[in-house]
Amino acid sequence: MNVLGRNIAQNLLRYNRCGLIQSVAGRNFSASALDAKEVEKLVKNNKVVVFMKGNPDAPRCGFSNAVVQVLRMHSVNYDSHDVLQSEELRQGIKDFSSWPTIPQVFINGEFVGGCDILLQMHQNGELIEELKKAGIESALVKEAEK
Amino acid sequence: MSGYTEEYLRQKLTERLEATHVEVIDESDGCGGKFRAIVVSTQFQGKPLLQRHRLVNAALAEELKTIHAFSQKTYTPEQWANESKD
């Protein structure tokens, strides 16, 4: 999903040894971060918004994949943004949330956390509550009622 | 890669968070890019998960610039005592 219209060509991406994808040439021309107002617009555009590596159909990192799988279990509709497509967005979202890593999950415009926190909230039932506050009924609740 | 070791991160977390128990596991086959950590500290008492994780992130702010995969679990001493029982 390239909401920012700044598409770094796929052939500029490469895997290094630990699976980190770096945009080799991308860094040179887009080292600046997206400003807070623009990030805020993205964050508030939907009840659930995820910033990840890759997209929900093809996550490109295990942590991002874990977030996608959890949200799928709850049948949540959400916006997803691929930080690998934009170095500006990748830096902008880190600055915005004061959180150093990707993925990042927002519910109702509020930063919820990364993969560890979402997993833990999934396990202890908190995620169902947070979704409910945002007016979303988790598929796991519907299933339990049957 | 980052070159940080389990022992270095364990010491830093212990000092910065006055932790009573820290486990750090290098999951990168020694290249130092991927770690998993368990931190037990009284500083986590009364703090929601997000705040706890922010404390850990802050303690490793410099290191996390080069470590690109970091997973953490945070416990208060009481929670940890319960966890270890199971």
Short mmCIF file of all heavy atoms in Angstrom, two decimals, chain A residues 17-18 20 63 97-100 111-113 116-117 120, chain B residues 1 31 34 49-50 53-54 57 64 68-72:
data_model
loop_
_atom_site.label_atom_id
_atom_site.label_comp_id
_atom_site.label_asym_id
_atom_site.label_seq_id
_atom_site.Cartn_x
_atom_site.Cartn_y
_atom_site.Cartn_z
N ARG A 17 21.87 -10.31 5.96
CA ARG A 17 22.02 -11.62 6.57
C ARG A 17 20.93 -11.92 7.60
O ARG A 17 20.44 -13.04 7.68
CB ARG A 17 23.39 -11.69 7.24
CG ARG A 17 23.79 -13.12 7.50
CD ARG A 17 25.14 -13.16 8.16
NE ARG A 17 25.14 -14.28 9.07
CZ ARG A 17 25.39 -14.21 10.34
NH1 ARG A 17 25.72 -13.07 10.88
NH2 ARG A 17 25.35 -15.27 11.09
N CYS A 18 20.54 -10.93 8.35
CA CYS A 18 19.56 -11.19 9.40
C CYS A 18 18.13 -10.94 8.94
O CYS A 18 17.22 -10.85 9.75
CB CYS A 18 19.86 -10.35 10.64
SG CYS A 18 21.21 -11.04 11.60
N LEU A 20 16.91 -8.30 7.56
CA LEU A 20 16.52 -6.89 7.55
C LEU A 20 16.53 -6.40 6.11
O LEU A 20 17.47 -6.66 5.38
CB LEU A 20 17.51 -6.08 8.37
CG LEU A 20 17.36 -4.56 8.33
CD1 LEU A 20 16.10 -4.14 9.05
CD2 LEU A 20 18.56 -3.90 8.93
N PHE A 63 7.60 -10.55 13.07
CA PHE A 63 6.87 -9.75 14.05
C PHE A 63 5.63 -9.13 13.39
O PHE A 63 4.55 -9.11 13.97
CB PHE A 63 7.76 -8.64 14.62
CG PHE A 63 8.94 -9.15 15.41
CD1 PHE A 63 10.18 -9.29 14.83
CD2 PHE A 63 8.80 -9.52 16.74
CE1 PHE A 63 11.27 -9.76 15.54
CE2 PHE A 63 9.88 -9.99 17.47
CZ PHE A 63 11.12 -10.11 16.87
N SER A 97 5.40 8.03 17.63
CA SER A 97 4.97 7.21 18.78
C SER A 97 6.06 7.05 19.84
O SER A 97 5.82 6.44 20.87
CB SER A 97 4.55 5.82 18.28
OG SER A 97 5.64 5.23 17.60
N SER A 98 7.25 7.58 19.59
CA SER A 98 8.41 7.35 20.46
C SER A 98 8.59 5.86 20.71
O SER A 98 8.74 5.43 21.85
CB SER A 98 8.27 8.07 21.81
OG SER A 98 7.89 9.37 21.64
N TRP A 99 8.53 5.12 19.66
CA TRP A 99 8.66 3.66 19.75
C TRP A 99 9.68 3.23 18.70
O TRP A 99 9.55 3.63 17.54
CB TRP A 99 7.30 3.01 19.49
CG TRP A 99 7.22 1.56 19.85
CD1 TRP A 99 7.29 0.50 19.00
CD2 TRP A 99 7.04 1.01 21.16
NE1 TRP A 99 7.17 -0.67 19.70
CE2 TRP A 99 7.01 -0.39 21.03
CE3 TRP A 99 6.89 1.56 22.43
CZ2 TRP A 99 6.85 -1.25 22.11
CZ3 TRP A 99 6.73 0.72 23.50
CH2 TRP A 99 6.70 -0.68 23.35
N PRO A 100 10.70 2.46 19.10
CA PRO A 100 11.84 2.27 18.19
C PRO A 100 11.67 1.20 17.12
O PRO A 100 12.51 1.10 16.24
CB PRO A 100 12.97 1.88 19.15
CG PRO A 100 12.28 1.20 20.29
CD PRO A 100 10.93 1.84 20.40
N PHE A 111 -1.74 4.88 20.30
CA PHE A 111 -0.71 3.87 20.14
C PHE A 111 -0.92 2.76 21.17
O PHE A 111 -1.04 3.04 22.37
CB PHE A 111 0.67 4.50 20.31
CG PHE A 111 1.80 3.51 20.20
CD1 PHE A 111 1.97 2.78 19.03
CD2 PHE A 111 2.66 3.30 21.26
CE1 PHE A 111 3.00 1.85 18.92
CE2 PHE A 111 3.70 2.37 21.16
CZ PHE A 111 3.86 1.65 19.99
N VAL A 112 -0.98 1.54 20.71
CA VAL A 112 -1.22 0.39 21.59
C VAL A 112 0.08 -0.32 21.93
O VAL A 112 0.31 -0.73 23.07
CB VAL A 112 -2.20 -0.60 20.90
CG1 VAL A 112 -2.23 -1.93 21.64
CG2 VAL A 112 -3.59 0.00 20.84
N GLY A 113 0.95 -0.47 20.94
CA GLY A 113 2.23 -1.14 21.18
C GLY A 113 2.72 -1.87 19.95
O GLY A 113 2.17 -1.71 18.85
N ASP A 116 4.92 -7.68 20.76
CA ASP A 116 4.87 -8.32 22.09
C ASP A 116 3.61 -7.94 22.84
O ASP A 116 2.94 -8.77 23.45
CB ASP A 116 6.06 -7.87 22.95
CG ASP A 116 7.36 -8.48 22.48
OD1 ASP A 116 7.34 -9.63 22.03
OD2 ASP A 116 8.39 -7.79 22.58
N ILE A 117 3.32 -6.63 22.82
CA ILE A 117 2.17 -6.14 23.57
C ILE A 117 0.86 -6.65 22.97
O ILE A 117 -0.03 -7.09 23.68
CB ILE A 117 2.20 -4.59 23.64
CG1 ILE A 117 3.37 -4.15 24.53
CG2 ILE A 117 0.87 -4.02 24.13
CD1 ILE A 117 3.53 -2.66 24.70
N GLN A 120 0.39 -10.25 23.91
CA GLN A 120 0.02 -10.41 25.31
C GLN A 120 -1.44 -9.99 25.54
O GLN A 120 -2.17 -10.63 26.29
CB GLN A 120 0.96 -9.60 26.19
CG GLN A 120 1.23 -10.28 27.52
CD GLN A 120 2.45 -9.71 28.20
OE1 GLN A 120 3.47 -9.46 27.56
NE2 GLN A 120 2.36 -9.49 29.50
N MET B 1 27.14 -6.91 12.25
CA MET B 1 25.88 -6.52 12.91
C MET B 1 26.17 -5.68 14.15
O MET B 1 27.24 -5.13 14.30
CB MET B 1 25.08 -7.78 13.24
CG MET B 1 24.41 -8.40 12.02
SD MET B 1 23.57 -7.22 10.96
CE MET B 1 22.30 -6.62 12.09
N CYS B 31 25.07 -13.11 15.70
CA CYS B 31 25.39 -11.91 14.91
C CYS B 31 24.95 -10.65 15.65
O CYS B 31 25.32 -9.54 15.28
CB CYS B 31 24.83 -11.98 13.49
SG CYS B 31 23.21 -11.28 13.25
N LYS B 34 19.36 -9.88 16.88
CA LYS B 34 18.03 -10.28 17.32
C LYS B 34 18.10 -10.83 18.74
O LYS B 34 18.84 -11.78 19.00
CB LYS B 34 17.49 -11.34 16.36
CG LYS B 34 16.07 -11.77 16.68
CD LYS B 34 15.57 -12.78 15.65
CE LYS B 34 14.13 -13.16 15.95
NZ LYS B 34 13.66 -14.23 15.07
N LEU B 49 1.39 -2.22 30.63
CA LEU B 49 2.36 -2.88 29.75
C LEU B 49 3.13 -1.91 28.86
O LEU B 49 4.36 -2.00 28.73
CB LEU B 49 1.59 -3.88 28.89
CG LEU B 49 2.33 -5.07 28.33
CD1 LEU B 49 3.11 -5.80 29.41
CD2 LEU B 49 1.33 -6.01 27.67
N LEU B 50 2.40 -0.97 28.27
CA LEU B 50 3.05 -0.04 27.34
C LEU B 50 4.13 0.77 28.05
O LEU B 50 5.22 0.97 27.52
CB LEU B 50 2.00 0.89 26.72
CG LEU B 50 2.51 1.89 25.69
CD1 LEU B 50 3.08 1.17 24.47
CD2 LEU B 50 1.41 2.85 25.27
N HIS B 53 7.20 -1.41 28.74
CA HIS B 53 8.01 -1.62 27.54
C HIS B 53 8.75 -0.35 27.15
O HIS B 53 9.86 -0.40 26.64
CB HIS B 53 7.14 -2.13 26.39
CG HIS B 53 6.80 -3.59 26.52
ND1 HIS B 53 6.77 -4.45 25.45
CD2 HIS B 53 6.49 -4.32 27.61
CE1 HIS B 53 6.46 -5.67 25.89
NE2 HIS B 53 6.27 -5.61 27.19
N ARG B 54 8.12 0.80 27.41
CA ARG B 54 8.80 2.06 27.11
C ARG B 54 10.04 2.22 28.00
O ARG B 54 11.06 2.74 27.56
CB ARG B 54 7.86 3.25 27.31
CG ARG B 54 6.88 3.46 26.16
CD ARG B 54 6.31 4.87 26.21
NE ARG B 54 5.21 5.08 25.29
CZ ARG B 54 5.35 5.32 23.99
NH1 ARG B 54 6.55 5.33 23.45
NH2 ARG B 54 4.29 5.53 23.23
N ASN B 57 12.65 0.02 26.46
CA ASN B 57 13.12 0.64 25.22
C ASN B 57 14.05 1.81 25.51
O ASN B 57 15.06 2.01 24.83
CB ASN B 57 11.95 1.13 24.36
CG ASN B 57 11.15 -0.03 23.78
OD1 ASN B 57 11.64 -1.15 23.70
ND2 ASN B 57 9.93 0.25 23.37
N LEU B 64 19.06 -0.11 20.49
CA LEU B 64 17.96 -0.47 19.59
C LEU B 64 18.06 0.19 18.22
O LEU B 64 17.33 -0.14 17.31
CB LEU B 64 16.61 -0.15 20.24
CG LEU B 64 16.17 -1.13 21.34
CD1 LEU B 64 14.88 -0.67 21.99
CD2 LEU B 64 16.01 -2.54 20.80
N HIS B 68 17.75 -4.88 15.37
CA HIS B 68 16.51 -4.63 14.64
C HIS B 68 15.39 -5.59 15.00
O HIS B 68 14.29 -5.47 14.51
CB HIS B 68 16.75 -4.59 13.14
CG HIS B 68 17.25 -5.87 12.59
ND1 HIS B 68 18.57 -6.09 12.33
CD2 HIS B 68 16.61 -7.00 12.26
CE1 HIS B 68 18.72 -7.31 11.87
NE2 HIS B 68 17.55 -7.89 11.83
N ALA B 69 15.67 -6.57 15.86
CA ALA B 69 14.58 -7.43 16.32
C ALA B 69 14.75 -7.63 17.81
O ALA B 69 15.74 -8.20 18.26
CB ALA B 69 14.61 -8.76 15.58
N PHE B 70 13.79 -7.12 18.58
CA PHE B 70 13.90 -7.19 20.03
C PHE B 70 12.54 -7.50 20.62
O PHE B 70 11.57 -6.79 20.38
CB PHE B 70 14.42 -5.85 20.57
CG PHE B 70 14.67 -5.86 22.05
CD1 PHE B 70 15.80 -6.46 22.56
CD2 PHE B 70 13.76 -5.29 22.93
CE1 PHE B 70 16.04 -6.49 23.93
CE2 PHE B 70 13.98 -5.32 24.29
CZ PHE B 70 15.14 -5.91 24.80
N SER B 71 12.48 -8.61 21.36
CA SER B 71 11.22 -9.03 21.94
C SER B 71 11.38 -9.02 23.46
O SER B 71 12.42 -9.41 23.97
CB SER B 71 10.93 -10.44 21.42
OG SER B 71 9.85 -10.99 22.12
N GLN B 72 10.37 -8.55 24.18
CA GLN B 72 10.54 -8.43 25.63
C GLN B 72 9.31 -8.88 26.42
O GLN B 72 8.17 -8.77 25.95
CB GLN B 72 10.86 -6.98 25.99
CG GLN B 72 9.85 -5.98 25.45
CD GLN B 72 10.14 -4.57 25.92
OE1 GLN B 72 10.21 -4.33 27.11
NE2 GLN B 72 10.30 -3.65 24.98
#
